[in-house]
Amino acid sequence: MAQVRLNHIAKQFDGQSVLADINIDIRDGEFMVFVGPSGCGKSTLLRTIAGLERATSGQVLIGSDEVTHAPPARRGVAMVFQSYALYPHMTVFDNIAFGLKLAKKPREEVERAVHAAAELLQIEHLLGRKPAALSGGQRQRVAIGRSIVREPRVFLFDEPLSNLDAALRVQMRVELIKLHRRLGTTVVYVTHDQVEAMTMADRIAVLNQGRLEQLGTPLELYRRPNNMFVAGFIGSPKMNFLDVSVAAVDESGVTVRLPGEVSLKMPVAGENLAPGDELKFGVRPEHVGLKAAVEGQVDATVSGEVVVVEHLGGEILVHLQIAGESTVELKSPGTHDEISCGDRLDIVLNADLCHLFNLEGQALTRTCG
Ligand code: ADP
Ligand code: MG
């Protein structure tokens, strides 16, 4: 087990910047997820930890060792890829044992390690099969088994569940969380799926266009996104964003004018703002209340017309057209048979659950909480 430290990592391919000044400290035993859209540099960063890619500048430390220029085999890491890369002509046993045999480990030790890993992954009954006779989930377990027997200091996963169907992905997600709990080994896990990131991570690093946008626990990112990118990327359905203007500024906050001339006072610092300034307002669908149903704090009421209703059974998604071209999506528990397209509906907002961003997309500082 070991901590991993990324110091000012930058990477260029053919002069094109792919990673810029990445600083991340991964704690010993932590489950760290790198998440971001396709092409943002997640795999490149993971491969830099593995030694499969050389950083253009910066340092990689694993444990107390500086490994920036060390070959992959010297780093004590094991990597699991999206494509399982199993040897098709070898049995599951031999696939898992391959690295140990190559390292000329004694036969009894290899036997013991393979059986222990297979038991952990519940694939003991498959040890005599070839990969072609396995399902996708079983193959991925074999690939994970192959990395477990090497007893790495750090596990590196690059989108290991992306090839699996949705139901299996959810199941494997839970199994990987349990596996991490049992082994306690540091994990760095790459995914483009924010749900995977939210459910699996101790902490998440959100990457975008080669930059680290924010690092924090899942709930820190959900509750206090630093910027509009993180706000829009974490959470489903996506946060609503509306154009608003500043109506007034005082010690305790900034009053904004929402579409439809509705005022809402937000508990944020407004020292550089003046009436008339334009801002972006954000609120998650699950934090938009139905006036008829809400019991908590109400700081503003907005009226709109229902344009789309999506029934999920246990909850409902409603798309509302409010003033002008603005639309707001809301998510509410319950079936709500009473809501139909074309209805007028009043929705309510709680300022503590809303977000304000400047036009550069940076979140304004909260004056409380
Ligand atoms: P992600 O894993 O987040 O989808 P990658 O790290 O694979 O992103 O890629 C980041 C960027 O670097 C992409 O624009 C990709 O095209 C580019 N890239 C990756 N590997 C190479 C390479 N070997 N040569 C040139 N460009 C590359
Ligand atoms: Mg990738």
Side-chain angles (χ1 to χ4, degrees):
M1 299 198 339
Q3 59 171 346
V4 177
R5 177 164 289 182
L6 300 172
N7 270 344
H8 300 289
I9 295 290
K11 177 71 180 174
Q12 285 150 26
F13 283 116
D14 314 319
Q16 288 270 32
S17 172
V18 168
L19 294 171
D21 199 25
I22 304 285
N23 293 289
I24 301 177
D25 277 348
I26 301 164
R27 299 171 189 142
D28 188 9
E30 186 169 35
F31 199 119
M32 169 66 74
V33 174
F34 296 166
V35 72
S38 177
C40 72
K42 307 178 293 293
S43 294
T44 304
L45 191 56
L46 196 72
R47 291 166 61 81
T48 305
I49 299 174
L52 301 171
E53 211 74 74
R54 278 290 155 77
T56 308
S57 59
Q59 290 102 38
V60 181
L61 285 91
I62 299 179
S64 51
D65 309 322
E66 220 238 77
V67 297
T68 314
H69 303 290
R74 292 275 176 75
R75 297 187 180 208
V77 303
M79 191 145 166
V80 177
F81 300 91
Q82 177 177 350
S83 62
Y84 325 114
L86 302 178
Y87 298 107
H89 58 285
M90 287 185 194
T91 62
V92 167
F93 183 99
D94 288 335
N95 264 287
I96 296 176
F98 186 74
L100 299 179
K101 286 184 174 172
L102 210 63
K104 302 247 190 310
K105 298 281 183 194
R107 200 159 60 94
E108 305 80 66
E109 190 184 325
V110 173
E111 290 267 343
R112 208 174 331 114
V114 173
H115 282 286
E119 188 188 344
L120 198 61
L121 296 162
Q122 298 172 335
I123 51 172
E124 283 172 295
H125 60 296
L126 304 174
L127 287 173
R129 288 200 200 165
K130 299 268 176 68
L134 302 177
S135 70
Q138 290 168 337
R139 282 180 209 174
Q140 193 53 285
R141 283 195 188 90
V142 176
I144 294 167
R146 196 171 44 183
S147 65
I148 287 176
V149 295
R150 296 178 47 205
E151 298 184 352
R153 297 195 283 174
V154 181
F155 283 110
L156 305 175
F157 289 100
D158 194 350
E159 312 231 13
L161 307 185
S162 296
N163 279 353
L164 307 179
D165 67 49
L168 193 54
R169 216 154 51 219
V170 173
Q171 186 193 333
M172 284 294 287
R173 204 161 82 195
V174 175
E175 285 185 23
L176 282 175
I177 295 169
K178 287 186 190 160
L179 189 69
H180 173 251
R181 206 165 286 157
R182 285 179 71 172
L183 297 174
T185 311
T186 311
V187 169
V188 189
Y189 185 104
V190 161
T191 180
H192 65 274
D193 179 350
Q194 64 91 19
V195 175
E196 252 176 45
M198 289 294 282
T199 53
M200 300 180 85
D202 291 320
R203 288 189 303 158
I204 300 174
V206 182
L207 298 170
N208 179 34
Q209 297 187 339
R211 294 182 181 280
L212 176 62
E213 294 276 2
Q214 192 169 356
L215 177 67
T217 66
L219 291 182
E220 281 167 1
L221 300 189
Y222 177 80
R223 291 192 179 123
R224 293 285 178 264
N226 281 344
N227 54 56
M228 281 176 76
F229 181 82
V230 175
F233 194 78
I234 299 287
S236 176
K238 271 190 192 315
M239 186 183 283
N240 296 291
F241 293 112
L242 296 170
D243 295 327
V244 296
S245 60
V246 174
V249 180
D250 68 26
E251 291 287 293
S252 61
V254 175
T255 303
V256 293
R257 189 103 60 217
L258 296 165
E261 299 299 307
V262 174
S263 292
L264 174 62
K265 185 165 187 179
M266 293 284 294
V268 297
E271 59 264 6
N272 301 319
L273 295 174
D277 286 354
E278 295 186 350
L279 296 172
K280 293 282 183 183
F281 173 87
V283 61
R284 298 190 185 282
E286 58 271 34
H287 295 150
V288 179
L290 290 167
K291 188 179 187 184
V294 130
E295 286 166 7
Q297 182 183 332
V298 170
D299 298 309
T301 302
V302 180
S303 172
E305 182 187 337
V306 176
V307 288
V308 176
V309 180
E310 298 173 274
H311 286 287
L312 300 177
E315 58 194 15
I316 186 174
L317 303 176
V318 180
H319 299 251
L320 282 178
Q321 175 109 35
I322 58 172
E325 292 301 297
S326 304
T327 61
V328 169
E329 183 173 4
L330 83 83
K331 179 161 100 175
S332 180
T335 40
H336 294 288
D337 307 62
E338 75 280 6
I339 298 175
S340 337
C341 270
D343 287 355
R344 298 267 342 146
L345 202 61
D346 281 346
I347 56 173
V348 294
L349 301 171
N350 170 347
D352 290 337
L353 297 174
C354 297
H355 306 260
L356 267 189
F357 306 92
N358 63 24
L359 293 187
E360 283 79 55
Q362 297 303 309
L364 301 192
T365 315
R366 300 233 157 209
T367 49
C368 58

